[in-house]
Amino acid sequence: MNGARLRAVGQAMQVADFSVPLERLAGTLPFQGLLKPPALPGVLTDGMRKIQSPFLVGFGDSYLSQLSVCFVVPNKEGVVNMASIRKRGENSYLLVVSRGYDYQGNRLKPAQKTVHPPLGLTAKQTQKWLNEQTVLYEQEVKHTPAQPVDRSITLAKYIEVWLEQVAPKKLAASTLSRDRQDIRRILPALGHYKLTELNKEILRDFYDAMRQERNENTGHLLAEGTVEGIHSCLCGILSDAVEAGYITYNPAWRTYKKKGISKERPVADEETVLRLIAALETQSLKYEVYYKLILATGMRRGEACGLRWSDIDWRQRALHIRRNVVKLSRQPIMVKEPKTRAGVRVVYLSKDMCKLLRAWEKECQWEKEQRGDDELTQDDYLFQQPNGDPMVPCTFTYRFKMILRENGLPDNLNVHSLRHTNASMLIAQGVDVRTVAGLLGHAQPSTTLDIYSHAFDKNKRLAGQKLSKAMGL
């Protein structure tokens, strides 16, 4: 079997889920013996269900007619996908579960079910909801629950299991740290409930109670964003409980309703931007370059900290964003991939920005010479500590607040506001949402629309005025 046919497995994944011994099946096939198990690097992908033994894969509508049968051995994790999700319409998805082949090698008709996610979910929430429904439907079709579980388990006990066995494998360290903070608020109120007892009324009462809680540091009522984060954490935990078979649905879906009017994210207007740039030019070159880079490209704080000199393409005036730096309290510095797959991207620089970077490169080289270190290398970080580690975002966050105070600039701005300002100004210039999403590293344009809806609304008004003027209406 040639390599091209094997690579097709990775795309089609037509899995034969036999319920009879392979030896018996081999006796029904018109060829002598079974083929040697091939190596299929890269065929099996992430997010698949664990299996324990080899199985067969067929090609085409009838693999018997093509005599194309081969073993597939599970990868190191022992996983294979047994169901698929297909988008059909605006809010319609088809779940397809393979039912394998009968003992004569004829493919059984796959089971199919159309589902409609609840309206109002984000793209990420929709995908999570679909994954839950796929797991449940596959268990229903195959009549094989994942494993016997204790359905009397309390939320507190399940969270204990979740923190030990589930969360460390699927969450970034920074996300897990934030979830632990939310869990400290969840457990006193909900920990004693059995998972099967939780419902929308209980959860909505809990969110209302959280809105009356006060922040330990400020003494103010918890911000709505904090309550929303608690809901997101709880929803993720219960979603994993569904996949593990402890409950049959996620009671947290659509229970959270934001109170009050959404606030616009703080951005600098054109006048403030000019004042801010003038203030930055009075700072050391390191801080001027860092803040101007974020303002010019819209990258995240940690992404700027993760830049190496090798990420700059001077000829194309391009900057490759490949890393994100995270520093948690009392934890070592972590350098990891960007927040989303779309976070690995290329942004382009102006001539003036390139000149500024060249000046900063020379200063970095001079600083290394003064310390008696080796020459500056392409693997060095743009913003690097003397020990070779990258500088961390909190250093620049603290410095930025000092610059705002010293120059009488709005104190509601922060370093992340530079990213929002970049996006808002792009939108104001009429740049389409897909391009803005790509530059910001958003996985879905819908994320950009959700975050910057106010900026797009202003564009709508401007478009209406232009159309009215053109038509004379």
Side-chain angles (χ1 to χ4, degrees):
M1 187 175 297
N2 61 40
R5 294 294 292 280
L6 292 180
R7 283 191 296 273
V9 182
Q11 301 171 5
M13 284 307 295
Q14 297 169 353
V15 179
D17 185 18
F18 292 99
S19 57
V20 295
L22 294 179
E23 293 78 6
R24 177 181 170 191
L25 178 68
T28 70
L29 300 178
F31 62 87
Q32 298 297 317
L34 290 173
L35 300 178
K36 180 181 178 181
L40 299 176
V43 168
L44 302 177
T45 60
D46 294 335
M48 301 176 177
R49 185 163 59 80
K50 289 190 176 182
I51 62 170
Q52 302 299 326
S53 59
F55 56 94
L56 297 177
V57 170
F59 298 83
D61 292 334
S62 174
Y63 69 81
L64 281 177
S65 63
Q66 299 182 37
L67 300 183
S68 298
V69 179
C70 72
F71 264 106
V72 170
V73 180
N75 63 6
K76 292 180 180 179
E77 290 74 27
V79 295
V80 63
N81 192 22
M82 298 298 289
S84 64
I85 304 170
R86 302 174 187 172
K87 186 172 175 61
R88 303 187 68 182
E90 183 65 27
N91 192 49
S92 177
Y93 295 82
L94 183 68
L95 308 183
V96 181
V97 176
S98 169
R99 296 175 59 230
Y101 295 76
D102 63 20
Y103 73 96
Q104 293 180 325
N106 298 312
R107 183 190 298 169
L108 299 171
K109 184 178 179 179
Q112 300 182 357
K113 178 182 180 181
T114 300
V115 296
H116 305 281
L119 297 176
L121 301 182
T122 65
K124 189 174 182 179
Q125 289 171 336
T126 299
Q127 187 59 52
K128 185 176 290 187
W129 185 89
L130 289 170
N131 290 342
E132 286 182 10
Q133 299 305 307
T134 302
V135 170
L136 294 173
Y137 184 52
E138 184 179 354
Q139 292 175 2
E140 176 187 331
V141 169
K142 296 183 178 295
H143 306 292
T144 53
Q147 57 184 352
V149 295
D150 178 10
R151 291 186 176 272
S152 65
I153 191 172
T154 63
L155 177 62
K157 182 60 179 177
Y158 177 70
I159 286 179
E160 183 181 326
V161 173
W162 183 81
L163 286 171
E164 180 181 345
Q165 301 177 11
V166 181
K169 298 177 183 178
K170 65 180 296 186
L171 298 181
S174 55
T175 304
L176 181 54
S177 176
R178 187 169 59 247
D179 280 357
R180 286 182 185 277
Q181 294 177 7
D182 292 333
I183 287 170
R184 284 198 288 270
R185 289 193 169 101
I186 292 170
L187 287 179
L190 302 177
H192 63 285
Y193 283 101
K194 295 179 182 178
L195 290 179
T196 53
E197 293 175 337
L198 292 173
N199 56 46
K200 292 184 177 181
E201 288 71 26
I202 292 173
L203 298 183
R204 283 175 178 161
D205 288 344
F206 168 64
Y207 299 143
D208 286 339
M210 285 294 98
R211 293 186 178 99
Q212 304 306 313
E213 290 281 326
R214 294 192 176 273
N215 186 299
E216 295 176 359
N217 298 321
T218 65
H220 299 152
L221 294 177
L222 293 182
E224 188 61 31
T226 302
V227 179
E228 186 174 5
I230 293 171
H231 162 72
S232 179
C233 171
L234 181 59
C235 196
I237 291 171
L238 295 176
S239 179
D240 290 330
V242 171
E243 293 190 17
Y246 288 98
I247 47 179
T248 57
Y249 73 98
N250 187 338
W253 282 117
R254 305 196 74 188
T255 57
Y256 171 77
K257 293 183 179 179
K258 186 174 290 188
K259 296 288 185 180
I261 300 173
S262 298
K263 296 182 180 178
E264 290 190 38
R265 294 170 184 266
V267 298
D269 57 26
E270 291 185 22
E271 180 185 350
T272 303
V273 169
L274 294 176
R275 290 175 57 203
L276 177 59
I277 290 174
L280 295 177
E281 291 173 351
T282 66
Q283 303 296 309
S284 67
L285 193 55
K286 171 173 62 182
Y287 293 113
E288 180 184 356
V289 172
Y290 179 87
Y291 299 125
K292 282 187 174 181
L293 260 181
I294 295 179
L295 185 58
T297 64
M299 71 175 73
R300 300 176 177 92
R301 297 178 309 154
E303 291 171 344
C305 291
L307 292 172
R308 298 181 188 270
W309 290 106
S310 58
D311 295 327
I312 303 176
D313 184 337
W314 298 104
R315 178 173 295 181
Q316 298 294 328
R317 298 210 307 269
L319 190 61
H320 296 256
I321 299 173
R322 298 186 173 102
R323 283 163 236 95
N324 187 42
V325 173
V326 177
K327 177 67 173 75
L328 302 176
S329 179
R330 296 185 291 277
Q331 295 289 328
I333 296 171
M334 292 181 289
V335 180
K336 58 179 188 176
E337 293 181 350
K339 191 174 180 180
T340 63
R341 287 185 180 180
V344 179
R345 61 197 187 278
V346 177
V347 294
Y348 295 91
L349 307 170
S350 66
K351 290 183 179 180
D352 288 340
M353 195 70 234
C354 284
K355 288 179 182 178
L356 194 62
L357 283 167
R358 282 294 193 189
W360 174 234
E361 183 183 31
K362 290 180 181 178
E363 184 165 319
C364 289
Q365 178 61 56
W366 179 83
E367 287 180 354
K368 293 199 78 170
E369 290 174 356
Q370 295 302 303
R371 294 195 300 267
D373 295 342
D374 296 332
E375 291 186 356
L376 190 71
T377 70
Q378 290 296 292
D379 287 335
D380 284 338
Y381 292 101
L382 266 69
F383 308 100
Q384 184 166 281
Q385 300 182 47
N387 64 1
D389 288 339
M391 294 184 68
V392 295
C394 59
T395 301
F396 295 99
T397 299
Y398 175 76
R399 183 75 179 200
F400 191 72
K401 285 297 184 182
M402 285 182 55
I403 295 172
L404 294 179
R405 286 195 301 269
E406 291 170 356
N407 292 273
L409 291 163
D411 61 2
N412 66 328
L413 298 177
N414 53 44
V415 179
H416 204 65
S417 299
L418 301 179
R419 173 175 164 85
H420 295 320
T421 299
N422 171 276
S424 297
M425 295 186 80
L426 286 174
I427 294 166
Q429 297 299 317
V431 180
D432 66 277
V433 63
R434 186 170 293 277
T435 300
V436 175
L439 291 171
L440 296 178
H442 287 158
Q444 300 287 341
S446 58
T447 304
T448 311
L449 284 169
D450 289 341
I451 295 174
Y452 302 105
S453 58
H454 296 93
F456 282 106
D457 285 342
K458 293 175 183 176
N459 264 15
K460 290 176 186 177
R461 288 195 293 272
L462 182 60
Q465 292 170 3
K466 288 182 176 180
L467 182 62
S468 177
K469 184 177 181 180
M471 292 183 172
L473 296 175

